[in-house]
Amino acid sequence: MRTEEPRPVRLEDYRPPDWVIGTVDLDVALHPTATTVRAKLAVRPNGSGAPAPLVLDGDDLTLRSVRLDGKPLPTESFVATPDRLTITQAPQRPFELEIETVLDPSNNTKLMGLYRAGATYCTQCEAEGFRRITYFLDRPDVMAVYTTRIEAEKSEAPILLSNGNLAAAGDIAGTSRHFAVWHDPFPKPSYLFALVGGNLASVGDSFTTMSGRKVRLAIYVEPGKEDRCHYAMDSLKRAMRWDEVAFGREYDLDIFMIVAVSAFNMGAMENKGLNVFNDKFILASPATATDGDYSSIEAVIAHEYFHNWTGDRITCRDWFQLCLKEGLTVFRDQEFTADQRSRAVERISDVRGLRAHQFVEDAGPLAHPVRPTLYHEINNFYTATVYEKGAEVVRMIKTLLGEAAFRAGMDLYFKRHDGQAATVEQFVQCFADVSGRDMRQFMRWYSQAGTPEIKVESRYDPAARSLRLEITQSVPPTPGQPTKQPMLIPLAFGLVGGNGEDLPLAVDGRPLSRGVLELTEPQQSFVFTSVTERPVLSLNRGFSAPIKLTVPIGADDLLRFLAAHDSDAFNRWQAIQSLAMTLLLGNVVALRSGEEPRLDDGLMNALETVLKDRALEPAFVALTLSPPSEADIAREIGRDVDPDAAFAARRRLRAAIGRRHSAVLAATYERMITAGPYRPDAQSAGRRALKNVCLDLLAMTESDAAIGRAFAQYQNADNMTDRVAALDTLMAHDRPERAAAFEDFYQRYADDPLVIDKWFALQAAIPEPATLDRVRALTRHAAFSAANPNRIRALIGSFAQANQTQFNRSDGAGYNFVADFVLELDPKNPQVAARLMSAFRSWRTLEARRRAQAEASLRRVAANTTLSRDVHDIVARTLADK
Ligand SMILES: [Zn+2]
């Protein structure tokens, strides 16, 4: 609890630790409310600095005893509080410190440190959870070799796991208890420590690495759920192989284990050799998981596995370097998915996510650089900026250097920094060294927040056959950064000719080997020669840089050239999105002044062309048929936003598409029905995605036939993807079929918490005024639990993040409801409470009435004197003037 204004942690204050710890021997005796932890630490002074007291971090700890070199430490030699253990007269030589603490895992509602998920004991130590287990130098640059002995009642926890390889196990003679000893030979920071104990079932497999070593694989789940682990295991093996081929990275221990738990603050955690997962990202069967669930499982399994090298073998020097492991590992998992599925579809999906979350964050009060320089609570920096923009920054390095030099730079990074706690500078230096490039300007991507805005003017001179581009760049002010310096921006591009083909590129008669412009100045011009006809510009191909781009391109050029021909699939999709966005923005204005929204024949025709093009991937067509989201529209408007008008404009456009193209949509729906049993592969999933987009657009017409089709699909579905898609469609229509389907869904899946999460989330997203009362009632439903983060995210998270009109009710009741929930949750689970609170981050962009309501709710939360550091930090930054 906050008793004083918390002091920020600053990057510039970083100092190497005064002390280091070489080995950690843990002895953990599990007990539901009184687990004892004996930690034997080999401590030594770091270098030959002036003598300093040894100050170990703690959080909510109860000390039993402390011994130095085997002797009890006299009480005058140390000071112990719940959050610190200070050895005042520490000897300036290596010594052994033995600390005994006692923990209450059953009442650990923060889900940090050692806690219980159901009956299972598990840990979460990133970022600062290890200090809730024992007093420690809980910082990532203190790397130690861990040996962990665990003992427990055999009946309560027959399975005992920790990091590394199993060294010993057995019964404790004369008792009903048993033990296991795990040894991890790789030095690691404390945040990668993990321990699990419980009654778990497992699915086993093996993997032979590229050098021929056989690795045992095991996924642990609650008994009875083994048959839902096969896709996760298959994904793991594909990820292990891919990392060998794509990055030359081989797995290093004898065993790799994953444990799925039902209560987890995050998605999953890359603890060395023992990943702990939110079971949402492990458990899947055709009857319980959607295509989206399958692809998330594949991506998260890969992400955590890839951390073994980018995060575990090479870790972060301090938490400011979080993007060093997260941005890089997100980039790696995105590339994995692109190779496993469809590169174009993956890129479009990633950019949609980036714009929906990171661009919004970058434009609001919580904006921060990819590498922040100050934090009050590090848990609040596991953000879209660190993860997703961090991945874009790595992608830009690859675009600038090219494939071969990028790989050489990565190889050098692994060689040079293996076993170290590294910095962003050291990472980027590897690319500078292999390429000879000066990367200093590029480093601004790590230090400057805000989304760069690029404006392009072009002039074609037919007589000179030249094309001149004038390009300006600027980065908007963000909190703490009023002025910015120009960025180094790789802008991939092509010039599209009249026949839809790319024209050859030349500058001063010299051919360009590749279509990438490097922007480095606030204003720059580029002149292309030998341009035989007036081209259409295709800029930022593949979304080569995370920027906002303004190009004076007419609707006609967008339609006739880019939407129809662009060889770059991303820009083909973008062209249609841009047309739809222009139309939607105009219609928002029209609707707010009581006028009828406009239609656009050009857009309608472009959609028809895409729908009828059998050469296109169904997943791509599905993405193209989905207009920009309400959040996209709000972000584009940027100020005085009326969420009701954005919703209405989008709904009217979808209804218009449904009416205009009902015949071809219905035919496509039928054509995409796949015979035979469900398969989760990308092609089958793409066909279902397109089928279900057609279903949804047709239902937008409100015709009885279309609603009936959705209800029939709901009833007859033989897989969760089709059933949930039908329910998602019915969700938006106040018809008897909707009530019947929600009722039926609950009856079918009442015993399956992960499936019931979908039921909560869809009801919370109903765009109607009655939804708030429905959500309130659901918080009292037997299946809801405020102790479980997945339930909270499904119900409250969905309402606050996915229901733009009802969270942003003009009477402020949506804000008040979420604020009340946050205040109630905060003392129990501050991390999840803070996450919910970030739903308010765009409050300043709203129209006046809602803005005032949102501010009142924010100020009410801020006035609470017992807020956690997590929620206090989010609210203070959200309300700050800049
Ligand atoms: Zn990660």
Side-chain angles (χ1 to χ4, degrees):
M1 289 305 107
R2 185 168 55 93
T3 51
E4 57 196 287
E5 274 307 294
R7 261 184 314 201
V9 182
R10 293 176 196 277
L11 172 59
E12 67 199 34
D13 293 341
Y14 173 83
R15 284 195 315 132
D18 294 324
W19 299 87
V20 289
I21 296 172
T23 60
V24 179
D25 285 88
L26 287 172
D27 192 341
V28 181
L30 292 174
H31 181 279
T33 56
T35 292
T36 56
V37 177
R38 273 191 296 274
K40 211 182 278 179
L41 314 176
V43 183
R44 63 174 194 274
N46 190 26
S48 52
L54 172 62
V55 183
L56 300 175
D57 306 299
D59 180 3
D60 222 2
L61 284 177
T62 306
L63 181 71
R64 277 262 182 85
S65 67
V66 52
R67 299 164 79 89
L68 199 148
D69 286 336
K71 293 192 202 78
L73 205 57
T75 46
E76 64 273 20
S77 301
F78 69 94
V79 181
T81 66
D83 58 6
R84 193 163 302 164
L85 174 62
T86 306
I87 313 290
T88 42
Q89 301 289 317
Q92 298 298 306
R93 55 159 174 84
F95 61 90
E96 185 186 273
L97 193 65
E98 207 176 335
I99 302 165
E100 187 175 329
T101 49
V102 59
L103 319 173
D104 182 354
S106 296
N107 288 304
N108 181 353
T109 60
K110 292 184 177 175
L111 313 188
M112 287 294 283
L114 176 68
Y115 67 97
R116 298 186 89 189
T120 306
Y121 293 90
C122 64
T123 55
Q124 169 60 30
C125 293
E126 186 176 1
E128 296 176 338
F130 193 71
R131 62 184 65 182
R132 292 169 60 78
I133 297 173
T134 187
Y135 292 101
F136 200 74
L137 294 172
D138 193 11
R139 45 187 287 173
D141 57 354
V142 173
M143 299 172 81
V145 170
Y146 285 66
T147 305
T148 306
R149 180 182 179 279
I150 316 162
E151 64 161 83
E153 287 293 327
K154 272 189 277 188
S155 57
E156 191 187 37
I159 301 291
L160 300 172
L161 309 172
S162 190
N163 314 88
N165 298 316
L166 184 66
D171 291 343
I172 301 172
T175 73
S176 54
R177 295 173 77 79
H178 71 143
F179 75 96
V181 180
W182 292 84
H183 176 73
D184 179 3
F186 294 95
K188 65 170 176 287
S190 49
Y191 81 87
L192 290 172
F193 171 79
L195 174 159
V196 170
N199 180 18
L200 299 165
S202 71
V203 170
D205 208 325
S206 72
F207 178 85
T208 303
T209 69
M210 59 186 180
S211 71
R213 279 191 321 106
K214 199 167 171 182
V215 177
R216 198 156 81 73
L217 309 177
I219 299 181
Y220 290 87
V221 292
E222 287 171 12
K225 294 186 173 167
E226 298 92 315
D227 61 341
R228 292 203 213 169
C229 299
H230 299 297
Y231 191 74
M233 183 63 88
D234 176 59
S235 301
L236 173 62
K237 288 193 286 183
R238 284 186 282 120
M240 293 178 88
R241 186 65 70 214
W242 184 89
D243 211 15
E244 294 185 343
V245 174
F247 285 96
R249 296 300 101 197
E250 187 174 0
Y251 187 64
D252 44 18
L253 290 164
D254 302 339
I255 183 167
F256 185 80
M257 298 174 286
I258 296 174
V259 179
V261 299
S262 58
F264 204 70
N265 279 349
M266 306 204 249
M269 179 63 212
E270 71 266 21
N271 317 300
K272 180 78 184 187
L274 177 60
N275 291 357
V276 176
F277 268 60
N278 187 328
D279 58 4
K280 176 181 164 65
F281 296 113
I282 294 290
L283 301 176
S285 72
T288 60
T290 63
D291 290 331
D293 295 328
Y294 276 95
S295 71
S296 300
I297 288 169
E298 182 183 75
V300 179
I301 290 264
H303 178 95
E304 305 307 331
Y305 173 74
F306 296 153
H307 268 314
N308 190 53
W309 275 94
T310 50
D312 297 4
R313 289 282 289 252
I314 306 178
T315 194
C316 303
R317 187 193 72 175
D318 53 72
W319 289 121
F320 296 103
Q321 321 294 329
L322 186 56
C323 66
L324 180 69
K325 75 178 180 77
E326 293 305 342
L328 176 56
T329 306
V330 170
F331 169 76
R332 276 151 54 70
D333 84 56
Q334 289 177 348
E335 287 296 290
F336 168 73
T337 304
D339 284 347
Q340 299 286 308
R341 292 172 176 244
S342 155
R343 189 156 281 274
V345 168
E346 169 69 5
R347 190 63 188 140
I348 293 167
S349 306
D350 290 341
V351 172
R352 271 164 52 123
L354 184 82
R355 285 177 172 155
H357 304 293
Q358 200 280 323
F359 275 29
V360 175
E361 187 167 82
D362 237 356
L366 301 181
H368 57 85
V370 169
R371 180 173 60 184
T373 53
L374 178 155
Y375 62 77
H376 285 93
E377 173 50 66
I378 188 58
N379 288 330
N380 288 338
F381 282 88
Y382 288 74
T383 59
T385 296
V386 168
Y387 279 64
E388 270 74 35
K389 190 175 180 181
E392 294 299 320
V393 174
V394 176
R395 186 176 299 280
M396 285 189 284
I397 295 176
K398 185 174 177 184
T399 302
L400 285 167
L401 266 60
E403 186 120 15
F406 177 75
R407 173 67 195 266
M410 286 299 300
D411 288 348
L412 179 61
Y413 175 63
F414 291 126
K415 187 161 171 261
R416 191 181 275 175
H417 296 293
D418 186 12
Q420 295 178 5
T423 62
V424 165
E425 279 78 7
Q426 290 173 321
F427 173 68
V428 175
Q429 188 60 45
C430 293
F431 298 102
D433 288 353
V434 296
S435 68
R437 281 185 78 114
D438 181 339
M439 299 292 279
R440 273 175 298 183
Q441 187 179 8
F442 185 81
M443 287 300 291
R444 288 175 193 160
W445 280 105
Y446 288 101
S447 59
Q448 294 194 144
T451 307
E453 293 170 3
I454 309 299
K455 289 194 170 62
V456 181
E457 305 269 339
S458 72
R459 207 172 58 241
Y460 179 63
D461 180 345
R465 302 206 304 183
S466 70
L467 176 76
R468 186 180 180 88
L469 298 184
E470 297 284 352
I471 305 184
T472 58
Q473 60 155 297
S474 63
V475 187
T478 48
Q481 296 188 332
T483 58
K484 308 288 169 82
Q485 293 179 294
M487 310 280 271
L488 167 54
I489 298 172
L491 195 64
F493 77 108
L495 305 179
V496 183
N499 61 0
E501 305 268 316
D502 275 13
L503 301 175
L505 301 175
V507 174
D508 299 332
R510 279 185 301 110
L512 280 184
S513 61
R514 60 186 201 138
V516 179
L517 298 175
E518 294 185 14
L519 312 184
T520 54
E521 307 291 333
Q523 276 191 301
Q524 260 170 301
S525 53
F526 298 88
V527 179
F528 299 95
T529 52
S530 319
V531 184
T532 50
E533 55 178 303
R534 189 189 75 85
V536 175
L537 285 170
S538 174
L539 287 171
N540 208 24
R541 281 184 160 175
F543 206 67
S544 60
I547 55 172
K548 277 188 208 162
L549 183 63
T550 310
V551 194
I553 185 164
D556 195 48
D557 280 346
L558 275 175
L559 279 175
R560 279 196 304 127
F561 293 93
L562 303 185
H565 298 295
D566 200 320
S567 59
D568 184 71
F570 178 86
N571 269 5
R572 213 176 156 183
W573 169 80
Q574 181 61 56
I576 291 181
Q577 291 289 302
S578 301
L579 281 168
M581 183 62 91
T582 304
L583 178 69
L584 286 164
L585 296 179
N587 285 347
V588 166
V589 175
L591 283 162
R592 287 186 76 178
S593 45
E595 292 161 28
E596 272 301 294
R598 196 170 61 83
L599 278 183
D600 181 337
D601 280 336
L603 173 64
M604 288 294 172
N605 294 338
L607 291 174
E608 188 177 6
T609 307
V610 169
L611 255 173
K612 287 184 168 169
D613 187 343
R614 301 277 181 108
L616 293 172
E617 284 180 85
F620 175 84
V621 178
L623 288 167
T624 305
L625 286 173
S626 309
S629 69
E630 291 160 59
D632 287 334
I633 300 166
R635 191 195 62 239
E636 201 66 25
I637 295 172
R639 52 176 293 277
D640 190 28
V641 171
D642 176 353
D644 288 339
F647 171 79
R650 185 168 189 273
R651 185 155 183 142
R652 301 277 280 262
L653 173 61
R654 285 157 78 222
I657 297 169
R659 277 194 304 274
R660 174 78 70 94
H661 296 309
S662 60
V664 60
L665 287 168
T668 306
Y669 177 87
E670 297 295 332
R671 191 160 55 83
M672 288 299 126
I673 293 174
T674 310
Y678 173 89
R679 293 172 57 226
D681 62 276
Q683 286 72 27
S684 311
R687 292 175 64 86
R688 280 186 291 272
L690 178 52
K691 181 182 73 171
N692 289 325
V693 167
C694 293
L695 181 79
D696 200 48
L697 289 170
L698 286 163
M700 279 295 146
T701 65
E702 299 289 345
S703 84
D704 291 344
I707 299 292
R709 183 189 281 110
F711 191 59
Q713 175 173 319
Y714 172 83
Q715 288 177 304
N716 303 328
D718 65 356
N719 62 77
M720 184 55 78
T721 304
D722 285 341
R723 178 156 289 138
V724 159
L727 192 59
D728 191 15
T729 288
L730 291 169
M731 178 271 281
H733 306 275
D734 186 8
R735 298 279 196 122
E737 289 89 342
R738 175 172 81 189
F742 272 121
E743 174 62 24
D744 175 83
F745 195 89
Y746 183 73
Q747 296 306 331
R748 277 178 199 263
Y749 303 108
D751 298 335
D752 196 319
L754 289 179
V755 181
I756 290 301
D757 282 343
K758 301 179 193 305
W759 181 78
F760 280 124
L762 282 173
Q763 292 184 82
I766 294 174
E768 292 166 15
T771 296
L772 178 57
D773 284 339
R774 183 191 283 255
V775 172
R776 272 206 190 94
L778 285 169
T779 59
R780 297 187 292 270
H781 193 280
F784 183 77
S785 162
N788 187 294
N790 283 353
R791 295 307 90 73
I792 295 171
R793 284 185 283 255
L795 185 61
I796 317 297
S798 170
F799 177 76
Q801 311 272 3
N803 196 338
Q804 296 287 312
T805 60
Q806 301 314 303
F807 173 61
N808 295 298
R809 283 164 61 124
S810 60
D811 64 2
Y815 305 135
N816 272 325
F817 168 73
V818 173
D820 288 340
F821 191 90
V822 165
L823 286 172
E824 204 173 305
L825 179 64
D826 189 38
K828 299 181 198 106
N829 191 330
Q831 253 183 59
V832 173
R835 231 356 117 89
L836 285 177
M837 205 61 215
S838 66
F840 286 87
R841 64 189 176 186
S842 298
W843 70 279
R844 274 187 212 277
T845 66
L846 295 163
E847 53 79 26
R849 183 162 173 211
R850 288 178 174 85
R851 193 164 65 230
Q853 298 282 12
E855 182 172 5
S857 284
L858 279 162
R859 296 218 177 271
R860 187 162 63 82
V861 174
N864 190 300
T865 53
T866 58
L867 287 182
S868 67
R869 199 165 56 196
D870 306 60
V871 170
H872 179 264
D873 170 47
I874 292 286
V875 175
R877 283 194 282 143
T878 304
L879 279 168
D881 284 335
K882 275 257 157 116

